[in-house]
Amino acid sequence: MGGIRPGRVVATALTAAAATLLAGCGGGRAAGDENTIVVATFGDFGYDALQADFAEAFPDLTLETRVSEFDAHHQQLQTQLAGGRGAADIVAIEEGWIPQYRESHELFVELGALGASDIKDRWAEWKWEQGVADGGEFVLGLGTDAGPLAMCYRTDLFEAAGLPTDRDEVSALWPTWEDFAAVADEFSAATPDVAFADSAENVYGSMINQAPEGYFAAADDSFIADENPVISEAFALAGGLAEAGQTAQVKPFTQEWNVGLAQGGFATMACPAWMLAQIESAAGEQNAGVWDIASVPGGGGNWGGSILTIPAQGDDTETAYRVAEWLTAPEQQKTLFLEKGILPSQPEVYRDPEVLGDVNEYFNDAPVGEIFAASADSLAPNYRGTRDFSVRSRFQEALGRVEEGVQSADEALADALEQAERDLG
């Protein structure tokens, strides 16, 4: 999964037993139970849908998931690795954080020695590369999902603005992000009291995620945001929407964002496959069939996706590997897509006719298999530097200031660059 930020910590036992709450900083095992494997994630990875199959595959094991808020999950892992205790048996790491943890890969189990290298062909090449370190010699993690981008939109708000509502016709409106901005102008002229996009941050991030490089150079991990036209152009376009009052000024994954989804507070939002379940949950049954899915401007792009890693401090890393391999196997990836909409990262699965033919009833029977799975082969994820996460937040905060009317887009970009360079020393 990617970018999912639930506000509370929960735990779910993947057995017939009831779910038990786990302490946020406890050891990898449930106290006193050597037959329990704990998986730490930052969102709903859908593992509850695998409950019966897991019990059959591992009759002597109990699998529990510890789910934390996105940032807290990754920051807590840093603390646990530094202290040498407290990490779960299996830990998910989101794509944006992977470069940072590659730098400390010696604190994880090298999965190639346990058999991962023998199954590398399961994954799309780019997804396998996400999970390796040390020039490919060290297998850090096994890939879970992929996050190809689309554009979700409200058909009722488009109709009210006199715009087409058919998904193919909507896709034709915005082959480029400049076309998207032009549609925003047309929409705002017709319905000035409704925001066109959820946030400048979402638009900006989607544009960055379509580029091969963002803040750092793939060749040497040097900071290039001050000279990369992708950054300045994306910031100018997203900032322009903010200056024109065409965004709802809601930060993604907050309560305000959830309310906007439920109450029609904005007409569009870039959405990877894993986000559909969140939209449905927040928007509610009263909006079933109102949301639909079109192509994303600019074409392509990946937002999110994770790997499952095994901290070396675990008590039984070989069993943890067996479980991680099972959780990411083709059969489970297919189940997770059909049950939860979590897009597979393995060609055998996303090319499966049943996956390609899947539709989402909530999103006006959108052909989600065709929309998301069919684009998985062409994904080329944006390079994330080892310091990407801290730098990225400076630009997100800057766009927030533009939405609040505190700064112009030009002023905010200049400040973000200055702050990022200062942070990097």
Side-chain angles (χ1 to χ4, degrees), residues 129-359:
E129 292 300 321
Q130 272 190 342
V132 299
D134 196 21
E137 296 297 317
F138 189 102
V139 182
L140 177 65
L142 302 179
T144 58
D145 59 322
L149 284 169
M151 185 66 70
C152 292
Y153 67 99
R154 285 190 66 116
T155 57
D156 57 339
L157 297 181
F158 268 52
E159 183 176 16
L163 294 170
T165 60
D166 175 79
R167 65 180 68 94
D168 292 333
E169 294 179 15
V170 171
S171 297
L173 292 175
W174 50 52
T176 69
W177 284 102
E178 291 73 22
D179 293 322
F180 181 80
V183 176
D185 290 337
E186 185 177 349
F187 179 91
S188 297
T191 55
D193 295 330
V194 181
F196 182 66
D198 61 335
S199 67
E201 175 184 327
N202 199 345
V203 172
Y204 170 77
S206 299
M207 296 179 71
I208 300 300
N209 286 336
Q210 291 178 331
E213 296 177 322
Y215 305 102
F216 298 92
D220 59 6
D221 203 38
S222 61
F223 183 68
I224 59 171
D226 54 343
E227 59 188 44
N228 186 355
V230 170
I231 298 296
S232 56
E233 291 169 6
F235 200 98
L237 189 142
L241 295 177
E243 288 178 324
Q246 294 170 333
T247 68
Q249 304 180 29
V250 291
K251 188 172 180 61
F253 314 112
T254 61
Q255 183 58 34
E256 292 77 15
W257 185 74
N258 289 340
V259 171
L261 284 168
Q263 298 182 357
F266 46 85
T268 67
M269 56 180 294
C271 53
W274 53 260
M275 192 182 284
L276 301 188
Q278 274 197 305
I279 295 173
E280 179 176 349
S281 176
E285 284 304 312
Q286 70 272 22
N287 288 308
V290 172
W291 284 94
D292 208 326
I293 308 171
S295 298
V296 68
N302 185 81
W303 176 10
S306 302
I307 59 173
L308 295 184
T309 67
I310 300 176
Q313 63 187 249
D315 294 330
D316 187 351
T317 56
E318 290 190 10
T319 298
Y321 171 76
R322 288 172 49 223
V323 172
E325 181 182 330
W326 185 87
L327 289 172
T328 58
E331 297 82 3
Q332 281 63 255
Q333 289 212 359
K334 180 176 178 179
T335 297
L336 291 174
F337 178 73
L338 296 177
E339 295 290 331
K340 297 286 188 176
I342 299 171
L343 189 71
S345 57
Q346 300 174 349
E348 172 188 338
V349 189
Y350 60 66
R351 293 173 185 162
D352 185 295
E354 193 174 0
V355 170
L356 288 171
D358 192 49
V359 300

